[in-house]
Amino acid sequence: MAKQYDPQAIEKKWQDIWEKEGTFRASNDRSKPKFYALVEFPYPSGEGLHVGHPRPYTALDVLSRKRRMEGYNVLFPMGWDAFGLPAENYAIQNKIHPAVITERNVTRFKEQLRSLGFSFDWSREINTTDPAYFKWTQWIFLKMFEKGLAYKQEMPINWCPACKVGLANEEVVNGGCERCGHEVVTKVKNQWMLKITAYAERLINDLDLVDYIDRVKTQQRNWIGRSEGAEVSFQIVDTDEVLKVFTTRPDTLFGATYMVISPEHPVIDKLGDLIANMDEIRDYQEEAHKKTDFERAELNKEKTGVEIKGLKAINPVNNKEIPIWISDYVLMTYGTGAIMAVPGHDERDWEFAKKYGLPIVEVVAGGDVSTAAYTNTETGIMVNSGFLNGMDVEDAKKEITAWLKAEGLGAPKVNYKLRDWVFSRQRYWGEPIPLVHCEKCGWVPVPEDELPVLLPDVKNYEPTDTGESPLAKIRDWVETTCPTCGGPAERETDTMPQWAGSSWYFIRYTDPHNDEALASKEAIDYWMPVDWYNGGMEHTTLHLLYSRFWHKFLYDLGIVPSPEPYQKRTSHGMILGENNEKMSKSRGNVINPDDVVNEYGADTLRLYEMFIGDFEKSVPWSQDGVRGCRRFLDRFWKLQEMVMPGTEYTSELETKMHQTIKKVSEDYENLKFNTAIAAQMALLNDILQRGTINEAEIKTMLILLNPVAPHITEEMWVNLGFPGMVNEQSWPTWDEEKTVEQTVDIAVQVNGRVRGQITVDLTDPVELARAKALDNENILRFVEGKTIVKEIYVPGRIYNIVVKN
RNA sequence: GCCGAAGUGGUGGAAUAGGCAUACACGCACGACUCAAAAUCGUGUGAGCUUCGCUCGUGAGGGUUCAACUCCCUCCUUCGGCACCA
């Protein structure tokens, strides 16, 4: 034995063995406790695997492997989120069917993942573009349609002129397209929408049921943006029209000196006859419409607006007539599209009032409303507010809300920033929306037994400038008959967004080949919810929120057993290039995992990615660091040459062994892989110093390292003639008492500064420790001639002597 | 602007129920092996000084304490999220 450590030879060998023996298949034995570990399935791009991919995969692979050794039935699956733009764009350029490209990319990705030795259960591999899979994506959509959660609406959407596709709010980043960065413009389109807002409250509240890292919870709450306030009705003078506003500060109602409505507000057209300056209004609307959402939302920008001449509203608390303005700082998509302006206590309103000379009334005392809006709600007392005078803000809110309700002028109201989900894409490479439009019957679902609705085979995938899907041109696909009346009808030509398939894929893994249902009831009940889901922070407001929404919907249908899909959510940091910048071809700092595997081995790559730093933070790649990890494995390999017989830990190593088992076990659980590995490196250093190790000790070391470096540990296990495989062993346990060193060196301090060291036994009485401390020459130098005021002895930690002159 | 996280050697990073700051790794220096280099092994490596020891040192400045990277106060910087959301 004791050949050189040759990862190229052993890694392939073990990967084949695991595959042949089905080592990592999730078992059907439902009597065992289950552990469902999930990582985000990749989009199989033409670029191949990125060194960023293995980081989260290795992390949960470590947990999965550990859980199996702890006796769990583990489900750790992998699949492909394969619909999407890059494949379609490539198809357009190269005239190849996106399915062909997808298949090619999947093959490559799978090979790469396999070469890294992940313990995925490949028998459960899924692909969102597989008709057997998207049949159920379409099925879920139809259920939503049935329940009124999917609706088509004419609405302004975010349009990317480069991708020629509509984007959800979440896909617009700083005014640009998330995918290509091109500036996003507004376009009015008839779009399928999913009513995620119906679940807003539950999506916030149920965060209390799950164990997500705080930043994820915070970001979700932020994004949903719940705010409590009141809806208040303002009568428009001489009409039957009422302008409703939403406000979080109903207490300041007496200070509302004008109103502002959004340029898109329908009341403008409704009461057009009464408006004296309609031309001016139309111009303003035109201007506002031309701006992109980003331009409209851009801060620093000076507010603009036009007064609507001819319309006045009545402030319901004091019956004063107040003017109505339009301005694009009021958004039609939030609240009611109209606000009451309280310039004394709202910065935006204050700015607007100053610019246009509108009256500013102080209704909360404490500031100086002539110089700035006073927004402090903690200490202010109501003034100029009739029956609210003298109250603090909180009481005034309650009082006025009760009053509004009693008078029929308003009611408490909760609003959310979250908008409904624009679910249509004008693209070819996505799940067809399984609906048919009939002149007579309207939108009719494709009957369940006709699912899936397949994509037609076409030559041309080009999206159109008009914003229509390329499918619209395939007339013999579009033209069909109405399932209800049998008359002529047309298929919906929009397809679903990429987020559709990933909104429920974790359910499919539990029973991936089922053709009767999205998964069997038994499989779902046993495996769901996912116990641990790790993924990128970039998916917090998109995929994570969407999939929670779909899961809640399925929960309401009685299909899944829990209101939440994921019990625990953690997140990993990015891997940057060696120059500390994001890895990208254009920056020339891309590291290819294949190269690392070929040169150093998969175990080195895995080890390095886990050792590189805090799992949750971004870290730059370091080729030197990779070499260091390989060195560790080379040194670890050499342990084989010094193994002595023994069924117990040797007494010199016992404490260290128990300490290491504890440290490694706990650190793996807390995603502290870097320190878990450091502890194993330290133990190895100790042992190499000593020059011997016995069988009991090396067995434990092999098991501890196995989750991170599975190939080398299996190979060494066999080399040493141990029975079975490492992955079949039980995870080692530690004895808390045995982790405590009996004899330790501790520092002796004088006035808090270290002046010497003593060796004490934990059981030493204070007197003995004291005697040892004062036996030290250097200590005596600092104590002599001074008065000892106080002595603190923390056994096993420190001995501190406080002296005074 | 609001919310959140974080600032530690030349580098990645350890250590927070307060108890020897810099574990582990990289890099660097020197030594061994070698004709030589690489690899490997060994030693050293926070800064400074009058070097058996002392002084300073965890973004800055205060404070609490026998003792502070850790707790409190005031700042500064960086990163992330939200951002005219009424």
Side-chain angles (χ1 to χ4, degrees):
Chain A
M1 75 153 177
K3 314 135 281 196
Q4 276 282 304
Y5 169 46
D6 178 10
Q8 275 64 37
I10 65 179
E11 289 178 351
K12 178 81 174 65
K13 168 186 152 190
W14 283 102
Q15 286 155 15
D16 291 345
I17 291 173
W18 297 330
E19 178 164 299
K20 200 172 116 238
E21 307 205 349
T23 308
F24 303 119
R25 298 248 174 107
S27 118
N28 287 323
D29 177 5
R30 291 179 186 154
S31 64
K32 279 214 235 165
K34 65 98 182 181
F35 180 71
Y36 185 175
L38 185 65
V39 287
E40 290 169 345
F41 62 162
Y43 174 77
S45 70
E47 312 279 309
L49 209 66
H50 180 272
V51 285
H53 286 113
R55 199 182 192 194
Y57 298 170
T58 308
L60 283 215
D61 194 40
V62 168
L63 268 317
S64 295
R65 287 173 178 272
K66 175 166 180 276
R67 283 288 186 286
R68 290 192 194 95
M69 290 193 262
E70 289 170 334
Y72 285 83
N73 186 13
V74 171
L75 172 55
F76 186 41
M78 183 41 72
W80 316 105
D81 190 13
F83 274 126
L85 279 182
E88 184 163 346
N89 290 338
Y90 190 88
I92 292 166
Q93 277 163 25
N94 300 284
K95 310 279 177 215
I96 306 178
H97 196 283
V100 174
I101 298 153
T102 300
E103 200 191 334
R104 189 193 294 162
N105 291 348
V106 162
T107 306
R108 168 102 193 279
F109 258 72
K110 195 172 170 182
E111 256 166 39
Q112 289 184 300
L113 289 179
R114 236 180 67 88
S115 79
L116 292 174
F118 296 124
S119 65
F120 294 129
D121 179 351
W122 285 111
S123 73
R124 292 169 185 258
E125 177 181 354
I126 60 172
N127 186 326
T128 55
T129 65
D130 178 353
Y133 179 89
F134 73 70
K135 170 181 179 178
W136 299 105
T137 312
Q138 292 177 336
W139 183 85
I140 297 169
F141 175 84
L142 285 185
K143 290 289 161 197
M144 289 201 167
F145 179 75
E146 263 173 40
K147 301 283 175 191
L149 291 169
Y151 60 98
K152 201 160 195 185
Q153 196 178 56
E154 181 88 2
M155 70 167 301
I157 56 148
N158 305 301
W159 174 260
C160 173
C163 300
K164 295 176 182 172
V165 67
L167 304 170
N169 262 327
E170 290 86 337
E171 293 170 296
V172 181
V173 179
N174 283 332
C177 170
E178 181 194 51
R179 191 170 295 280
C180 72
H182 195 281
E183 193 187 19
V184 170
V185 300
T186 305
K187 188 164 187 145
V188 176
K189 275 233 68 190
N190 209 2
Q191 301 277 337
W192 283 101
M193 308 286 293
L194 292 187
K195 211 181 266 177
I196 189 173
T197 51
Y199 284 75
E201 184 79 23
R202 287 162 68 188
L203 287 169
I204 283 198
N205 290 346
D206 289 356
L207 287 172
D208 293 340
L209 305 177
V210 292
D211 176 18
Y212 290 3
I213 48 173
D214 283 341
R215 54 196 174 125
V216 170
K217 285 194 185 185
T218 309
Q219 277 186 34
Q220 292 228 338
R221 287 200 185 100
N222 232 328
W223 188 263
I224 297 167
R226 181 181 198 276
S227 59
E228 273 180 48
E231 204 162 74
V232 186
S233 299
F234 286 66
Q235 186 75 40
I236 299 181
V237 178
D238 295 334
T239 71
D240 295 332
E241 283 301 311
V242 157
L243 266 185
K244 282 191 174 180
V245 303
F246 172 72
T247 176
T248 55
R249 294 294 305 277
D251 55 299
T252 61
L253 191 47
F254 282 89
T257 53
Y258 62 102
M259 298 185 78
V260 187
I261 65 175
S262 157
E264 294 89 7
H265 201 286
V267 82
I268 297 169
D269 287 332
K270 212 162 179 184
L271 300 180
D273 294 347
L274 301 175
I275 298 174
N277 57 339
M278 204 55 183
D279 289 348
E280 211 184 340
I281 303 286
R282 289 283 180 235
D283 286 348
Y284 189 83
Q285 284 179 319
E286 188 70 17
E287 281 302 305
H289 183 69
K290 267 193 261 170
K291 292 182 198 170
T292 64
D293 268 6
F294 186 61
E295 283 169 341
R296 274 179 69 164
E298 203 154 14
L299 217 58
N300 309 332
K301 187 202 74 172
E302 193 167 324
K303 296 192 182 0
T304 56
V306 175
E307 184 178 356
I308 304 177
K309 304 253 168 70
L311 295 185
K312 294 274 182 195
I314 299 175
N315 185 332
V317 276
N318 53 21
N319 290 318
K320 282 191 185 153
E321 282 193 10
I322 56 176
I324 305 171
W325 287 64
I326 64 168
S327 171
D328 62 6
Y329 83 89
V330 173
L331 310 172
M332 196 57 225
T333 44
Y334 183 77
T336 61
I339 61 157
M340 63 180 215
V342 184
H345 306 282
D346 181 284
E347 282 165 25
R348 296 154 301 180
D349 299 342
W350 190 88
E351 199 189 310
F352 194 80
K354 274 284 168 193
K355 179 168 175 185
Y356 294 106
L358 292 156
I360 300 173
V361 175
E362 177 182 60
V363 290
V364 183
D368 176 6
V369 298
S370 65
T371 56
Y374 181 67
T375 55
N376 183 325
T377 56
E378 304 285 302
T379 56
I381 297 297
M382 305 308 298
V383 294
N384 301 321
S385 292
F387 60 92
L388 299 177
N389 283 338
M391 292 184 190
D392 63 33
V393 167
E394 279 315 304
D395 288 344
K397 276 185 185 171
K398 285 182 201 127
E399 187 69 24
I400 188 76
T401 309
W403 182 86
L404 286 167
K405 200 167 177 199
E407 299 287 320
L409 293 167
K413 170 93 184 175
V414 174
N415 247 311
Y416 302 93
K417 281 199 291 187
L418 185 70
R419 312 285 161 80
D420 278 342
W421 173 7
V422 180
F423 198 67
S424 293
R425 294 294 181 276
Q426 294 70 43
R427 281 285 172 172
Y428 173 79
W429 193 229
E431 301 89 343
I433 290 176
L435 291 171
V436 163
H437 190 258
C438 166
E439 287 295 331
K440 252 190 279 172
C441 312
W443 284 107
V444 180
V446 171
E448 223 176 290
D449 58 12
E450 286 176 29
L451 295 182
V453 174
L454 298 172
L455 285 164
D457 211 353
V458 294
K459 287 276 171 286
N460 195 359
Y461 314 102
E462 296 270 6
T464 58
D465 290 315
T466 59
E468 262 200 297
S469 162
L471 291 177
K473 287 181 282 188
I474 323 293
R475 295 312 298 172
D476 59 349
W477 182 82
V478 172
E479 285 162 18
T480 182
T481 51
C482 171
T484 307
C485 71
E490 297 204 342
R491 289 188 190 281
E492 171 59 61
T493 57
D494 283 357
T495 52
M496 300 188 195
Q498 202 188 352
W499 312 107
S502 58
S503 289
W504 71 283
Y505 76 113
F506 44 91
I507 301 171
R508 187 64 176 173
Y509 282 137
T510 65
D511 189 12
H513 308 297
N514 196 318
D515 53 10
E516 311 271 287
L518 35 95
S520 74
K521 181 93 183 118
E522 301 79 58
I524 293 174
D525 285 350
Y526 175 65
W527 287 112
M528 290 299 294
V530 172
D531 293 282
W532 195 328
Y533 189 18
N534 186 87
M537 284 308 289
E538 70 274 21
H539 292 135
T540 304
T541 50
L542 299 158
H543 162 62
L544 198 63
L545 202 60
Y546 293 158
S547 58
R548 289 181 62 221
F549 160 47
W550 277 41
H551 191 268
K552 284 187 182 305
F553 171 69
L554 294 174
Y555 175 70
D556 291 347
L557 294 184
I559 290 172
V560 292
S562 59
E564 284 289 329
Y566 321 116
Q567 189 46 46
K568 178 172 181 150
R569 169 80 177 185
T570 54
S571 201
H572 54 271
M574 249 196 310
I575 292 185
L576 306 169
E578 293 209 82
N579 55 358
N580 231 316
E581 290 171 19
K582 209 178 154 184
M583 267 191 206
S584 72
K585 254 199 252 166
S586 56
R587 290 187 179 88
N589 60 354
V590 174
I591 304 286
N592 182 344
D594 292 342
D595 295 341
V596 181
V597 171
N598 289 333
E599 191 170 354
Y600 300 100
D603 282 336
T604 296
L605 177 67
R606 297 169 57 113
L607 184 73
Y608 174 66
E609 295 221 2
M610 293 298 94
F611 183 64
I612 189 168
D614 187 333
F615 180 68
E616 300 205 335
K617 295 202 188 109
S618 304
V619 262
W621 185 267
S622 155
Q623 206 61 28
D624 287 329
V626 177
R627 271 192 284 277
C629 287
R630 172 59 194 262
R631 258 199 290 273
F632 166 72
L633 292 180
D634 283 330
R635 280 149 48 87
F636 192 81
W637 179 258
K638 286 192 193 138
L639 285 177
Q640 294 176 98
E641 294 162 13
M642 50 181 77
V643 180
M644 312 290 283
T647 52
E648 305 286 332
Y649 302 144
T650 51
S651 57
E652 305 89 76
L653 268 182
E654 191 181 40
T655 305
K656 189 88 187 173
M657 290 303 298
H658 282 270
Q659 283 173 344
T660 307
I661 295 168
K662 176 179 175 170
K663 177 81 181 151
V664 172
S665 303
E666 292 179 350
D667 283 358
Y668 281 168
E669 289 300 321
N670 295 318
L671 305 178
K672 303 281 182 206
F673 304 106
N674 51 340
T675 48
I677 292 164
Q680 295 177 78
M681 288 174 167
L683 177 59
L684 177 69
N685 290 346
D686 268 20
I687 289 168
L688 291 180
Q689 199 95 61
R690 288 161 39 91
T692 67
I693 184 170
N694 76 14
E695 288 176 349
E697 289 151 3
I698 198 169
K699 276 185 174 172
T700 295
M701 287 183 74
L702 288 170
I703 297 170
L704 292 179
L705 189 63
N706 175 263
V708 180
H711 312 88
I712 187 175
T713 46
E714 291 288 9
E715 183 70 14
M716 286 172 71
W717 187 271
V718 169
N719 281 348
L720 290 165
F722 298 143
M725 293 192 282
V726 181
N727 69 73
E728 300 162 345
Q729 308 307 310
S730 294
W731 191 254
T733 53
W734 72 92
D735 183 340
E736 196 64 45
E737 273 178 29
K738 289 184 178 162
T739 62
V740 184
E741 203 89 57
Q742 273 313 297
T743 309
V744 282
D745 291 336
I746 65 167
V748 181
Q749 301 180 328
V750 179
N751 287 352
R753 340 193 61 151
V754 181
R755 299 299 181 186
Q757 299 280 325
I758 55 171
T759 304
V760 290
D761 199 284
L762 276 192
T763 54
D764 281 355
V766 198
E767 294 76 24
L768 184 54
R770 178 169 206 269
K772 284 178 179 171
L774 291 175
D775 189 36
N776 181 310
E777 247 180 67
N778 203 43
I779 303 294
L780 286 175
R781 271 180 47 212
F782 285 90
V783 175
E784 249 162 23
K786 295 174 182 162
T787 323
I788 295 177
V789 220
K790 194 173 179 183
E791 287 170 69
I792 297 112
Y793 178 48
V794 184
R797 295 278 188 190
I798 207 141
Y799 197 101
N800 190 8
I801 304 167
V802 185
V803 298
K804 230 179 168 174
N805 277 324

